[in-house]
Amino acid sequence: MKKTQGRDPILKIAATHLLAKKRQTLVATLGVMFGIMVFILQAGLITGFQNVFIEQTINTTANIHIYNEPNNNRPSILSKDSVYQNKWVVVRNQKPKDELNKIRNAWQIVDLLEKDPEVAGVSPFLGTQAILRAGITQYAGRLAGVDIEKENLLFKVNDYMIEGESSRLKTINNGIILGSGLALKLGVKMNDNISVITPNGNSLEMKVIGINKTGLTEVDKARAYISIRNAQKLLGTDNSYITDINIKLKNIDRAIPLAELYTKKFGYTADDWKKANANIFGVFKIQNMVTYLIIFSILLVSGFGIFNILMMIIYEKMPDIAILKAIGYKDRDIRKLFLTESIVIGVIGGISGLVMGFLLTKILGRIPVDVQGFTSFKYLPFNSSPYFYIFALFFALVATSLAGYFPAQKAAKVDPIDIIRSK
Amino acid sequence: MSKNDQAEIRNEKIGFVFQFHYLLPEFTVLENVSLPAMKLGKKSIEEIHEDAMSRLKLLGMEDQALKKANKLSGGQQQRAAIARALINMPKIIFGDEPTGNLDSKNSHNVFDIFKDLKKEFNQTICIVTHDMHLADQTDRTITLSDGELVKS
């Protein structure tokens, strides 16, 4: 049996139908295009923003953070006494046990962790609240007492310096590195002197040896780096006093199991970076859901558009359908005809939407913006992941085939006798 | 018999000529005539077009082959429809008032074509008509009145 070479008449008929209704076809195609384009833009922008944020977060929070969580739910000692067994014991105004929230044997833990083959870097940390004062302006900040070399291994502090060298924290006595927002609020510049006052009343004159900008506005507004030794001096503690240990792993995906392991091993709370930023990942999840909802609703609307134009074509082309059936075309040929029409709209609209979306992300990605909010960046950070393009095209095809299926089914069921008899 | 089997029989064994031509208006006469053969799919597109041209020649339509169907006159459209009915060499042609929409000159013309087909190709043709003048020229006339057989 020889094959009918080349053009399937069905395809040509489909093309004629669509061209006969140029304006409606154009509108339906633009509908699909617009939906896909918006999805590419929206998904690209949202996930691009999320990636920047995650990257900044990873660079500024530890993969694993070990600290001594103060236990405020201490049971009253009275309830442990056998005399009061099975009796109500009420202790009013119970205060937390007065204990230092330091990590015992912190330096030994640091040594042990540094020998762990899965660990890329360990940075001991001593944090405290403090008032920073320059003349009469004063602001509350968070002091981070660090070993700057180790801190650099974890957080690349030096990469975020806008003025000064972070390593001078080690060489200059009483040096302090301010966050850019904090420096701005205090109105101080490099080499200015400020006073640092801790909650327990100690104060120290310190010299600004650097200004640091991470891009996370909340951090830049509050954090100041000092050396661990200065932090211990300010808190009036001995040189074994460390409140936190930050760990950077070679493989960030191992954070969760290793955090559990360290909690058991050292007896202190160890949080992985996802847990420490759980609220942010929750927000991301909702943002992503909104993105998918938007593409769903836009494609729903364009799906109705396709449905509409096909129904119009079918009513108008009833005689064509009838004669095609009379001369031997089967139900499935007619179904294929109208499905082809909707899929053609889907493919053309989908691909042009992808192209438009791609071009727009490139154009919008070049427009400088100066966003200072949750996080800061100079250009809109679009994520052009091929996954979105594949997903968008797939979604467009599913939506248009569905929109085409019902009219196609209706056309396939047309009884040619009814049409021909009525003419 | 399934609907698909019925469609295959209509395609291969039966040619239809209706009162209205039912040509696809945006397609050329040649394409319209070729449609049933393309569905049958037993020949290459070149052979189908050759067949279609020979049918059109038979009906004196060869110079209209590349015109769009909606650019033809009523008589020409009906002749194109007959060419379409002939393309797959059907065993029988059913005509449902095939001359009903034509003026008397064109209906004579169409009827002459049917007679030629019968004479030259031994083509079986079954026609329903109200035109007794046409009916008188057939080999056999069956008269129906309100669905009842009156004379055969």
Side-chain angles (χ1 to χ4, degrees):
Chain A
M1 183 173 152
K2 283 182 203 160
K3 277 191 83 177
T4 46
Q5 289 164 357
R7 304 176 304 173
D8 183 347
I10 290 290
L11 287 181
K12 194 168 180 214
I13 297 169
T16 345
H17 283 177
L18 292 178
L19 290 176
K21 289 244 162 293
K22 279 201 193 74
R23 192 185 298 180
Q24 284 87 342
T25 308
L26 188 68
V27 169
T29 313
L30 285 179
V32 176
M33 186 192 95
F34 190 68
I36 298 302
M37 188 187 81
V38 168
F39 173 74
I40 293 292
L41 281 181
Q42 168 108 2
L45 186 56
I46 294 248
T47 59
F49 164 78
Q50 290 171 355
N51 288 350
V52 168
F53 194 80
I54 289 172
E55 199 179 306
Q56 282 175 339
T57 309
I58 289 173
N59 286 345
T60 48
T61 58
N63 297 166
I64 296 177
H65 173 210
I66 299 179
Y67 61 103
N68 184 2
E69 194 166 31
N71 182 5
N72 293 334
N73 297 319
R74 188 162 52 95
S76 159
I77 195 159
L78 289 176
S79 61
K80 287 186 182 157
D81 196 320
S82 58
V83 177
Y84 297 102
Q85 284 294 319
N86 304 323
K87 291 193 169 64
W88 280 100
V89 179
V90 177
V91 182
R92 288 185 197 281
N93 212 8
Q94 185 185 6
K95 293 196 173 59
K97 194 170 152 196
D98 184 16
E99 60 182 349
L100 293 168
N101 62 348
K102 74 170 198 170
I103 296 177
R104 274 171 236 276
N105 303 324
W107 294 107
Q108 286 90 326
I109 293 176
V110 169
D111 276 347
L112 270 177
L113 286 170
E114 276 176 337
K115 282 179 194 132
D116 191 322
E118 290 201 74
V119 171
V122 185
S123 180
F125 176 96
L126 173 52
T128 180
Q129 306 286 326
I131 303 287
L132 291 94
R133 197 163 73 192
I136 55 159
T137 53
Q138 56 180 37
Y139 277 99
R142 275 184 288 114
L143 291 184
V146 294
D147 176 334
I148 195 65
E149 278 170 12
K150 289 182 169 157
E151 189 76 1
N152 252 326
L153 275 181
L154 264 71
F155 302 124
K156 302 194 177 80
V157 180
N158 210 35
D159 291 359
Y160 293 103
M161 297 296 289
I162 53 176
E163 275 184 276
E165 275 286 318
S166 66
S167 56
R168 290 175 75 208
L169 206 57
K170 198 140 200 169
T171 52
I172 299 221
N173 205 19
N174 293 352
I176 186 166
I177 298 174
L178 296 177
S180 57
L182 193 55
L184 195 70
K185 282 200 295 187
L186 287 169
V188 295
K189 296 188 292 293
M190 279 286 284
N191 299 322
D192 286 357
N193 286 328
I194 58 171
S195 323
V196 176
I197 303 129
T198 52
N200 54 5
N202 293 344
S203 90
L204 197 61
E205 281 291 306
M206 305 195 87
K207 182 177 184 173
V208 179
I209 57 151
I211 292 170
N212 172 284
K213 185 177 185 177
T214 59
L216 294 168
T217 313
E218 282 305 309
V219 173
D220 292 336
K221 267 196 326 209
R223 187 174 61 190
Y225 283 114
I226 57 175
S227 68
I228 287 190
R229 213 153 38 88
N230 279 334
Q232 288 162 343
K233 200 166 18 168
L234 273 167
L235 290 173
T237 57
D238 61 86
N239 61 6
S240 71
Y241 187 82
I242 299 291
T243 53
D244 307 69
I245 298 172
N246 289 319
I247 302 166
K248 187 188 180 103
L249 299 175
K250 284 180 179 144
N251 177 5
I252 193 166
D253 298 327
R254 293 273 297 144
I256 295 170
L258 283 175
E260 278 171 24
L261 179 75
Y262 294 153
T263 307
K264 259 186 233 145
K265 199 165 163 185
F266 303 123
Y268 291 107
T269 313
D271 279 352
D272 60 84
W273 64 285
K274 279 196 173 166
K275 193 170 173 189
N277 296 294
N279 50 342
I280 292 162
F281 286 102
V283 172
F284 287 176
K285 227 178 220 168
I286 291 169
Q287 284 181 340
N288 291 341
M289 266 168 57
V290 170
T291 306
Y292 286 101
L293 258 175
I294 286 174
I295 185 188
F296 178 76
S297 41
I298 294 178
L299 282 178
L300 195 72
V301 173
S302 33
F304 275 114
I306 292 173
F307 179 85
N308 240 351
I309 125 168
L310 284 184
M311 288 311 264
M312 273 166 66
I313 292 173
I314 286 167
Y315 279 112
E316 210 160 283
K317 297 291 180 188
M318 242 1 154
D320 289 12
I321 298 170
I323 193 65
L324 284 173
K325 287 189 140 187
I327 63 178
Y329 284 83
K330 294 171 185 167
D331 291 4
R332 64 161 179 267
D333 297 318
I334 304 298
R335 193 180 303 122
K336 187 176 138 197
L337 167 63
F338 289 98
L339 267 182
T340 307
E341 289 177 21
S342 73
I343 288 171
V344 163
I345 294 177
V347 168
I348 295 177
I351 289 178
S352 52
L354 294 186
V355 172
M356 288 294 289
F358 178 77
L359 291 179
L360 269 177
T361 51
K362 291 292 158 225
I363 293 167
L364 291 180
R366 279 161 175 272
I367 297 174
V369 287
D370 202 9
V371 179
Q372 294 284 349
F374 211 26
T375 170
S376 63
F377 34 76
K378 289 205 174 67
Y379 297 99
L380 289 176
F382 281 103
N383 173 11
S384 300
S385 153
Y387 164 78
F388 294 133
Y389 290 80
I390 295 165
F391 176 85
L393 193 60
F394 172 76
F395 208 111
L397 289 182
V398 168
T400 49
S401 328
L402 265 181
Y405 180 78
F406 298 100
Q409 194 60 25
K410 185 184 160 66
K413 290 226 174 84
V414 163
D415 187 348
I417 296 169
D418 289 343
I419 312 301
I420 288 169
R421 187 183 278 156
S422 69
K423 195 94 182 184
Chain B
M1 191 187 290
S2 79
K3 284 179 86 179
N4 283 343
D5 294 341
Q6 290 173 13
E8 274 167 27
I9 287 174
R10 285 200 300 275
N11 183 233
E12 205 175 350
K13 309 239 158 71
I14 305 176
F16 286 101
V17 182
F18 302 104
Q19 187 172 3
F20 180 73
H21 57 80
Y22 289 105
L23 298 171
L24 305 189
E26 302 91 349
F27 283 62
T28 65
V29 172
L30 188 70
E31 285 167 331
N32 265 294
V33 174
S34 303
L35 276 174
M38 285 167 91
K39 175 61 207 169
L40 190 60
K42 283 193 176 157
K43 292 180 175 173
S44 73
I45 192 88
E46 290 82 11
E47 289 172 290
I48 288 171
H49 282 168
E50 257 170 52
D51 283 1
M53 276 313 278
S54 78
R55 303 297 186 281
L56 286 169
K57 207 174 263 176
L58 199 68
L59 299 166
M61 290 274 295
E62 67 268 37
D63 43 345
Q64 312 291 331
L66 297 176
K67 276 194 187 167
K68 289 265 157 68
N70 56 4
K71 297 277 188 279
L72 300 182
S73 71
Q76 289 172 326
Q77 285 173 330
Q78 199 61 328
R79 276 186 277 161
I82 296 169
R84 181 181 61 196
L86 290 171
I87 186 84
N88 282 345
M89 300 279 208
K91 294 230 179 321
I92 185 166
I93 289 179
F94 283 116
D96 175 14
E97 298 258 22
T99 58
N101 269 351
L102 302 175
D103 56 32
S104 63
K105 182 175 162 258
N106 271 315
S107 46
H108 277 294
N109 204 340
V110 165
F111 204 77
D112 287 342
I113 291 164
F114 282 146
K115 283 197 283 188
D116 286 350
L117 289 175
K118 180 222 145 196
K119 214 188 309 171
E120 284 173 39
F121 299 97
N122 238 345
Q123 177 70 59
T124 310
I125 301 169
C126 174
I127 294 173
V128 180
T129 184
H130 282 105
D131 186 341
M132 289 314 287
H133 179 66
L134 289 184
D136 289 342
Q137 299 178 53
T138 57
D139 296 339
R140 185 179 170 200
T141 312
I142 297 167
T143 312
L144 292 172
S145 176
D146 297 331
E148 303 269 319
L149 187 69
V150 177
K151 194 179 90 187
S152 74

